């Protein structure tokens, strides 16, 4: 019996992990973690789970020259050498016959917290060495924010580094108005790693210091109970209407900070016209806002008074911009904050993402760690990240993005590692249709999830516990060493080793590896990190000392002035990096794009689906799909902590007692959520902390269709993305609109289908396969 203990780092924390015979048996938080996340318990029993991919596999239909059958087809296991040869041959065929723009490099970057074994960096470096690829811009997390904020404030990174930190909030803020809440579950997570969870503890410190918290959300529980937050229940997707109604009340009462608005902003005249309805004939007063949002007029008037009479910070979660017209949530919130009198003062104004991620405004947004160089991409084609189905379904079609018009290329090969689009993309049935169009889909996965089952070539790879690396999260003060605490199954290697072998066959091996193996690359990146850290004023020890210590804490206090403070003092001497040099409540640039779904100022635009739309007569419930409590996205869904948050193996849907009674649903019943896009099964939980006509179903349950050969199969595991809407936030950002989603729910009385999300696909012998046909795979 072989037993070992080591340290690892992850996007949800740092842990001491023990394994026996290469299976994790114990997980303990590191001593320095003040508020550890239980997500780490998902490691226990995960490495040798039945869903583990042990050998390279090819889809039978692909070997026979067919594109149909992805998701339902049988697989053939082959040797590592043969799989590498087939991958290299297919890449070579596509780039020779169609050009490198016909290759899409897919990754979402969450595969590992390690600096070297970072999936997105690995696949992009490999594809660049092979001649380039069609890439994606932005993130699903905050795509609309990434595009719209530069138009409003100029430098987005400067803005995120300078908005009030929790320490400043505790000292100076009197009112914190959190549109979208401050969900504790999201504060468990940090890109690149978390050494010690302090975000929620800082929130609690601020509450104890006297900060009054108000959350504006359909879900009362979207904040830690110790904050004792005031809850304003709002209809989903109507926050912008509430913000404008608050702004109108401030304007009408003569309480707007006209000095700041006229000296430091452009567009105050446009804002006034919008609020007074001078152009569209609709006055955006409290009565108007109440009718749309469901918030009583008296509550709107009272909140407006508090905003103007006290030092106020207006915040929005990232979730608010993941809805139709999501750009407007940021625009309206900044407009409201600029009017409040607190913008540019300590602890006041506007900030985003508080509690959307652990690193939000805790330390400075710095990272002394070096990244793996990705090389140069010689291909110019791209898509906004959430438009993957549009790309595959519409080759040659035009699309708009941030003032540019581009053309979707004709993708023949998709190479995807470090992300599961069958978790994070919307309208999975539409995506399944799109997934059937490329000639070839190649993935690297440790486990047989839906992503692997919908691929043509599946390469098994080691997990983060089966290799060495080091980690540091963005805005996190801890660097952590990552021990190899278990050996991968026999024959399973890392992403890097797969790419190195394929690159060698393609003739670009030296460019990809630079003559280094994985451990040598880890040492090289540490050396580069020491150089980068020195330039930032940090001293990092030699690698061996770091390995021995296991972790290093850096001094990373906020070192930049408060956002808009210098602007308020002298806008001429301290201009923003906007065209006007001022805060742009009206953007002539965006207005000049002519987008009817995103004008150049804050406006309430009805979303495609909401509780006030005609579609609500057929689908009268609004689905909110939050991040899960027990895992990061869909990672380790088969783990013990993830399972603890399910009921009888299925995800849990929360519904009010009133809405449940109308549908004869009792607590614990299996229910079917459905709309025109699809249907899924979940376990019902009666919960009156929701606003009526709102249901919640967390993301992350591995997609598990009853009959994957059907166009709209019933998902039996509780994946909300079979229901969500796949349209861009607007033509400006083209971000995801996952939170714009109407459904209905009914009790499921038929025989329950067995759960198979963690089962293996069917395998057949290679002797049963007809001859390989490149011509067949290339046919459209």
């Amino acid at each position: 019996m072989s037993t070992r203990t080591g340290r690892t780092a992850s996007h949800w924390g740092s842990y001491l992990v023990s394994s026996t015979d290469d299976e994790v048996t114990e997980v303990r938080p590191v001593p320095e973690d003040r508020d550890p996340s239980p997500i780490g318990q998902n490691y226990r029993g995960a490495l040798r789970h039945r869903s583990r991919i042990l050998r390279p596999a090819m889809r039978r239909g692909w070997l026979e020259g067919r594109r149909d059958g992805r998701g339902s087809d049988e697989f053939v296991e082959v040797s590592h050498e043969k799989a590498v040869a087939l991958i290299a041959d297919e890449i070579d065929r596509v780039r020779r016959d169609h050009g490198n723009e016909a290759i899409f490099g897919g990754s979402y970057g969450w595969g590992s917290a390690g600096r070297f074994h970072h999936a997105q960096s690995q696949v992009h470096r490999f594809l660049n060495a092979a001649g380039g690829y069609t890439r994606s811009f932005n993130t699903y997390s905050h795509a609309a924010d990434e595009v719209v904020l530069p138009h409003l404030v100029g430098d987005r990174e400067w803005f995120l580094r300078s908005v009030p930190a929790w320490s400043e909030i505790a000292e100076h803020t009197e009112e914190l108005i959190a549109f979208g809440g401050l969900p504790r579950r999201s504060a468990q997570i940090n890109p690149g790693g978390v050494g010690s969870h302090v975000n929620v503890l800082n929130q609690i410190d601020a509450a104890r210091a006297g900060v009054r918290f108000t959350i504006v959300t359909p879900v009362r529980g979207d904040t830690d109970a110790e904050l004792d937050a005031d809850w304003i229940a709002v209809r989903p997707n109507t926050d912008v209407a509430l913000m404008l109604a608050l702004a109108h009340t401030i304007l009408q009462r003569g309480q707007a900070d006209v000095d700041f608005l006229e000296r430091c902003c452009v567009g105050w005249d446009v804002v006034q016209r919008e609020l007074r309805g001078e152009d569209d004939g609709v006055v955006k007063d409290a009565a108007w806002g109440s009718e749309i949002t469901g918030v009583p007029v008296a509550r709107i008037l009272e909140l407006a008074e508090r905003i103007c009479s006290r030092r106020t910070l207006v915040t929005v979660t990232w979730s608010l911009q993941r809805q139709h017209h999501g750009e407007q949530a940021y625009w309206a919130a900044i407009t409201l904050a600029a009017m409040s009198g607190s913008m540019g003062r300590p602890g006041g104004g506007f900030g985003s993402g508080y509690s959307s991620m652990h690193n939000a405004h805790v330390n400075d947004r710095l990272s002394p760690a070096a990244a793996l160089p990705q090389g140069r991409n010689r291909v110019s084609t791209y898509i906004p990240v959430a438009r993957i189905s549009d790309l595959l379904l519409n080759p040659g079609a035009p699309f708009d993005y941030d003032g540019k018009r581009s053309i979707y290329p004709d993708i023949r090969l998709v190479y995807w590692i470090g992300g599961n689009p069958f978790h994070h993309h919307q309208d999975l049935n539409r995506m399944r249709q799109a997934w059937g169009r490329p000639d070839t889909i190649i993935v690297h996965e440790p486990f047989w999830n839906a992503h692997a089952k919908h691929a043509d070539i599946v390469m098994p790879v080691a997990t983060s516990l089966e290799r060495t690396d080091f980690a540091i999260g963005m805005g996190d003060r801890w660097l952590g060493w990552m021990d190899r605490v278990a050996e991968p199954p026999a024959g399973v290697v890392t992403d890097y080793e797969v790419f190195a072998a394929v690159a060698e066959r393609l003739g670009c091996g030296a460019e990809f590896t630079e003559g280094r193996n994985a451990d040598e690359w880890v040492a090289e990146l540490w050396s580069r990190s020491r150089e980068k850290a020195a330039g930032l004023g940090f001293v990092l020890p030699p690698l061996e000392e770091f390995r021995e210590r296991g972790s290093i804490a850096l001094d990373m206090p906020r070192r930049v002035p408060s956002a808009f403070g210098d602007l308020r003092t002298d806008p001429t001497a301290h201009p923003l990096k906007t065209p006007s040099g001022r805060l742009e409540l009206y953007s002539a640039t965006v207005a000049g794009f002519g987008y009817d779904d995103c004008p150049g100022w804050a406006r309430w635009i009805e979303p495609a689906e909401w509780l006030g739309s005609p579609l609500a007569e057929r689908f009268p419930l609004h689905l909110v799909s939050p991040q899960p409590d027990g895992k990061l996205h869909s990672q380790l869904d088969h783990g013990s902590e993830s399972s603890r948050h399910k009921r009888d193996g299925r995800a849990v849907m929360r519904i009010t007692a009133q809405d449940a009674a109308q549908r004869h649903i009792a607590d614990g019943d299996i229910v079917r959520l459905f709309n025109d896009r699809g249907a899924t099964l979940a376990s019902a939980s009666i919960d009156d902390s929701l606003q009526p006509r709102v249901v919640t179903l967390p993301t992350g349950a591995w997609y598990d269709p009853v009959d994957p050969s059907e166009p709209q199969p019933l998902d039996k595991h509780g994946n909300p993305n079979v229901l969500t809407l796949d349209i861009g936030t607007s033509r400006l950002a083209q971000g995801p609109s996952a939170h714009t989603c109407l459904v209905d729910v009914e009790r499921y009385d038929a025989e329950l289908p067995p759960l198979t999300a963690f089962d293996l696909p069917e395998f057949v012998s290679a002797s049963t396969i007809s001859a390989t046909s490149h011509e067949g795979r290339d046919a459209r």
Side-chain angles (χ1 to χ4, degrees), residues 402-607:
D402 198 15
K404 299 179 289 291
R405 171 153 284 209
S406 301
I407 303 295
Y408 288 126
D410 187 2
I411 298 299
R412 297 303 185 106
L413 185 148
V414 173
Y415 207 134
W416 202 300
I417 78 168
N420 178 4
F422 285 84
H423 152 69
H424 66 244
H425 195 66
Q426 288 69 60
D427 194 351
L428 290 184
N429 287 318
R430 181 173 185 260
M431 197 188 81
R432 290 170 69 244
Q433 179 187 0
W435 220 238
R437 291 192 57 85
D439 299 338
T440 302
I441 296 175
I442 306 169
V443 306
H444 297 185
E445 282 287 355
F447 305 103
W448 277 109
N449 57 22
H451 187 210
K453 292 173 182 176
H454 283 79
D456 299 315
I457 302 177
V458 181
M459 295 300 289
V461 288
T463 69
S464 61
L465 299 179
E466 298 164 335
R467 60 202 186 201
T468 58
D469 212 333
F470 67 94
I472 181 170
M474 172 61 74
D476 191 73
R477 60 190 296 258
W478 293 90
L479 288 92
W481 178 251
M482 301 172 66
D483 286 307
R484 185 169 176 158
V485 299
E487 296 300 316
V492 174
V493 299
T494 64
D495 294 308
Y496 177 72
E497 290 169 297
V498 174
F499 285 137
V502 178
E504 186 66 26
R505 287 188 66 96
L506 290 172
C508 55
E511 181 179 351
F512 177 72
T513 68
E514 297 184 20
R516 299 185 182 94
N517 63 28
D519 287 344
E520 289 168 338
W521 262 114
V522 171
E524 172 66 18
L525 290 186
W526 182 253
S527 177
R528 297 184 188 190
S529 297
R530 294 183 72 196
E531 293 178 10
K532 181 181 177 182
L536 295 171
F538 302 116
V539 177
L540 299 183
L543 180 61
E544 287 307 313
E545 181 181 340
F546 174 43
R547 288 174 62 120
E548 185 69 24
R549 291 168 59 178
S551 66
I552 298 171
L554 304 177
D555 182 24
M556 291 176 58
R558 296 291 291 269
R559 294 182 172 90
V560 294
S562 297
F564 310 115
D566 289 342
L567 183 73
R568 174 179 281 277
T569 300
D570 189 339
T572 302
H574 303 285
L576 303 181
K577 293 180 180 179
T578 57
S580 65
R582 293 183 285 173
L583 183 61
E584 301 219 343
L585 307 183
Y586 168 81
S587 169
T589 300
V590 175
F593 296 156
Y595 298 153
D596 57 0
D597 55 0
C598 188
W601 64 94
R603 170 175 283 183
W604 155 252
I605 308 172
E606 285 196 43

Side-chain angles (χ1 to χ4, degrees), residues 185-378:
R185 60 183 172 271
S186 300
Q188 299 178 91
I189 309 303
N190 199 56
V194 188
S196 178
H197 291 83
V198 297
N199 186 302
V200 175
L201 300 180
N202 288 351
Q203 296 177 32
I204 294 170
D205 288 344
R208 290 172 178 169
V211 178
R212 175 172 176 169
F213 287 82
T214 298
I215 59 170
V216 183
T217 167
V219 183
R220 180 190 292 273
D222 275 344
T223 187
D224 190 272
E226 289 197 48
L227 301 187
D228 192 25
D230 184 20
W231 179 38
I232 296 181
V234 64
R235 291 190 185 114
N237 284 205
T238 66
D239 300 81
V240 170
L242 178 57
M243 295 174 194
L244 295 182
L246 291 166
H248 180 275
T249 302
I250 293 169
L251 173 66
Q252 186 181 43
R253 289 175 171 174
Q255 294 176 304
D257 185 357
V258 175
D259 173 67
F260 181 83
L261 292 163
E262 292 184 343
R263 287 192 308 109
C264 305
C265 306
V266 294
W268 173 228
D269 55 333
V270 176
V271 170
Q272 292 180 77
R273 288 203 312 270
E274 178 67 33
L275 297 177
R276 291 171 175 147
E278 294 177 8
D279 296 325
D280 61 6
V282 179
V283 178
K284 314 307 185 301
D285 59 13
W288 168 85
S290 177
E291 183 177 357
I292 293 171
T293 65
V295 179
V297 169
R299 291 282 273 159
I300 296 174
L301 299 177
E302 184 266 339
L303 183 59
E305 178 61 33
R306 279 196 276 131
I307 289 173
C308 286
S309 61
R310 294 163 62 83
R311 181 65 56 83
T312 300
L313 178 64
V314 177
T315 77
V316 293
T317 61
W318 293 347
S319 62
L320 290 193
Q321 47 89 65
R322 292 195 295 267
Q323 58 184 249
H324 199 200
H325 311 303
E327 298 89 349
Q328 297 303 313
Y330 277 64
W331 219 318
I334 286 178
T335 300
L336 176 62
M339 296 174 63
S340 70
S342 295
M343 189 75 97
R345 304 186 191 279
F350 168 75
S352 66
Y354 288 88
S355 206
S356 292
M357 202 75 79
H358 179 269
N359 69 9
H361 320 309
V362 174
N363 301 302
D364 202 350
R365 278 176 58 89
L366 293 174
S367 173
L372 178 67
Q374 297 182 18
R376 183 175 70 89
N377 189 351
R378 285 161 283 194

Side-chain angles (χ1 to χ4, degrees), residues 71-72 432 703-716:
S72 60
R432 290 170 69 244
Y703 176 59
D704 192 15
V706 171
D707 184 356
S709 65
E710 293 183 355
Q712 286 193 340
L714 173 67
D715 171 66
K716 48 194 172 178

Side-chain angles (χ1 to χ4, degrees), residues 60 75-76 763-769:
R60 175 176 185 164
F75 281 84
V76 178
F763 294 96
V764 296
S765 169
S767 63
T768 66
I769 306 301

Side-chain angles (χ1 to χ4, degrees), residues 684-736:
S685 175
I686 308 303
D687 187 344
D688 281 332
S689 71
L690 311 177
Q691 187 184 33
R693 299 181 64 192
V694 171
V695 296
T696 69
L697 181 65
T699 61
W702 285 6
Y703 176 59
D704 192 15
V706 171
D707 184 356
S709 65
E710 293 183 355
Q712 286 193 340
L714 173 67
D715 171 66
K716 48 194 172 178
H717 197 198
N719 187 318
N721 274 328
V722 301
L723 305 164
T724 51
L725 183 64
D726 184 19
I727 62 172
T729 50
S730 79
R731 286 185 287 164
L732 181 73
Q734 294 283 9

